[in-house]
Amino acid sequence: MASIRPRLGNIVIAESVSMKNHSSFYTGGNAEYYAEPRSIEECLNVLEIAYKKNLNVTVIGSGTHILVSEKGIPGLVICTSSIKGITIKGNLVEAAPGEPLDNIINQAIDHNLIGLEELGGIPGTIGGAVSVNASSNGRSISDVFFYADYLSFDGRYFRRPFYHDYFRKQQSSFGIDGIIVSIALQLNPSRASAEARRRKEKYVELMFIPPCRRFSGEIFKDPEGMSAESVIRRLDIKGRGKASFSDYQPNSIFTLPGCTSAEIHDLITEAEERAEVELGIRLERSLSVLGDFT
């Protein structure tokens, strides 16, 4: 880290920060600038600085769905994993972007609200889950998404409702055009909370991730009518260098110490190319690729 520059309030912007500690792959180069706000006010302070200095802004969560180039990320990286909080109003669960998805599922069940159990075991935050429209076991965040409040990069405050075109197309552009600061999910009241908890734990076991930092969330979205996991199994890809598709979850990548982002990127590209050529299936990435890989 080259230096830290104090700004308004307690927020700081750090220069030349290694992204290895902010990615579950533990790979990648440096962010030119890095900030981790803890509130909407601090987000606004950081965005004001980025605007004045004409810095490109990249938004990340806990790092389970990103791959960072060894060349680094130009401009300012804003991490929202420290913006936390959950409020439950009737059947509406409102959460800050840094709340772990698993924590939200548990609190919803504690309040006799169901509808998220199938997403049990997905790593990362609710902000990241909304950004990629996380899905598992036939359920997607878009199925329960009600609205999201976000800040545009020029500091304006917006609310995006569930009927927005991006989610109708099973896409999301929050990470491109702003910072999510609050998310509301509309769930179903139920007295069968014990059954819901058992169901959630079943999906956690199916999504088993070994106790290792160097492990990703899902790499590809499920193609229509099939699972990405089944496609990866059919391709029987052996791996690239110190990166390989996991035996535990074939749609995730496991890496050994010393692995590079380039090896991971090559493995992902190989899967995409072979799926299209050999199986006629186009795989769509779930994770975000940040920085230059050319």
Side-chain angles (χ1 to χ4, degrees):
M1 184 183 301
S3 63
I4 297 178
R5 300 159 50 208
R7 303 304 301 185
L8 300 175
N10 295 320
I11 189 65
V12 297
I13 292 182
E15 298 181 55
S16 190
V17 173
S18 172
M19 291 301 295
K20 288 184 178 181
N21 291 322
H22 302 285
S23 167
S24 59
F25 284 126
Y26 206 71
T27 64
N30 291 353
E32 185 178 3
Y33 297 98
Y34 177 89
E36 195 164 319
R38 293 164 294 180
S39 66
I40 295 176
E41 292 74 18
E42 290 187 349
C43 282
L44 286 168
N45 291 341
V46 171
L47 288 174
E48 181 181 1
I49 296 165
Y51 180 78
K52 288 180 177 178
K53 294 190 172 293
N54 196 29
L55 295 175
N56 180 63
V57 175
T58 301
V59 181
I60 66 169
S62 60
T64 58
H65 282 84
I66 63 172
L67 175 64
V68 180
S69 167
E70 266 81 28
K71 298 177 184 179
I73 306 174
L76 172 63
V77 172
I78 298 177
C79 176
T80 62
S81 62
S82 292
I83 307 175
K84 297 183 183 295
I86 298 176
T87 303
I88 296 178
K89 303 174 182 177
N91 67 336
L92 211 61
V93 177
E94 295 181 346
E99 280 293 339
L101 178 58
D102 199 63
N103 189 34
I104 294 171
I105 298 172
N106 289 335
Q107 289 210 33
I109 293 173
D110 287 344
H111 286 78
N112 298 313
L113 296 174
I114 64 172
L116 288 171
E117 301 80 56
E118 290 84 353
L119 304 179
I122 294 179
T125 62
I126 184 62
V130 168
S131 294
V132 300
N133 192 17
S135 61
S136 184
N137 303 300
R139 170 73 73 173
S140 298
I141 282 290
S142 57
D143 296 332
V144 296
F145 176 84
F146 192 58
Y147 65 79
D149 294 332
Y150 72 104
L151 295 171
S152 63
F153 291 145
D154 59 4
R156 292 178 294 164
Y157 192 86
F158 290 92
R159 173 163 291 182
R160 180 166 291 169
F162 70 93
Y163 52 78
H164 194 280
D165 284 345
Y166 284 109
F167 262 149
R168 282 213 298 264
K169 298 174 183 175
Q170 298 294 292
Q171 298 172 354
S172 173
S173 72
F174 288 115
I176 297 172
D177 60 14
I179 303 174
I180 300 173
V181 293
S182 180
I183 294 154
L185 307 176
Q186 192 169 38
L187 303 180
N188 299 314
S190 173
R191 294 185 179 274
S193 58
E195 179 185 342
R197 194 171 300 282
R198 285 193 296 270
R199 189 164 62 250
K200 181 254 183 178
E201 292 304 323
K202 178 188 75 173
Y203 290 122
V204 170
E205 291 178 7
L206 292 174
M207 188 65 76
F208 172 71
I209 294 177
C212 174
R213 178 175 177 81
R214 297 177 173 86
F215 198 90
S216 72
E218 292 188 340
I219 302 299
F220 301 109
K221 296 181 180 180
D222 288 338
E224 187 173 354
M226 67 184 73
S227 69
E229 177 181 318
S230 66
V231 175
I232 299 300
R233 286 191 186 279
R234 288 170 65 185
L235 293 173
D236 191 27
I237 299 174
K238 300 304 180 184
R240 288 291 186 103
K242 295 182 178 180
S244 60
F245 285 101
S246 170
D247 291 333
Y248 301 98
Q249 286 294 332
N251 192 21
S252 293
I253 289 177
F254 179 82
T255 66
L256 296 173
C259 181
T260 66
S261 292
E263 289 174 326
I264 299 168
H265 189 263
D266 287 346
L267 182 62
I268 293 171
T269 301
E270 178 186 352
E272 291 169 334
E273 293 175 348
R274 286 186 53 189
E276 188 154 12
V277 172
E278 298 175 22
L279 306 176
I281 297 171
R282 184 176 180 181
L283 291 174
E284 181 183 354
R285 295 176 186 178
S286 179
L287 86 169
S288 298
V289 176
L290 307 177
D292 182 13
F293 280 88
T294 59

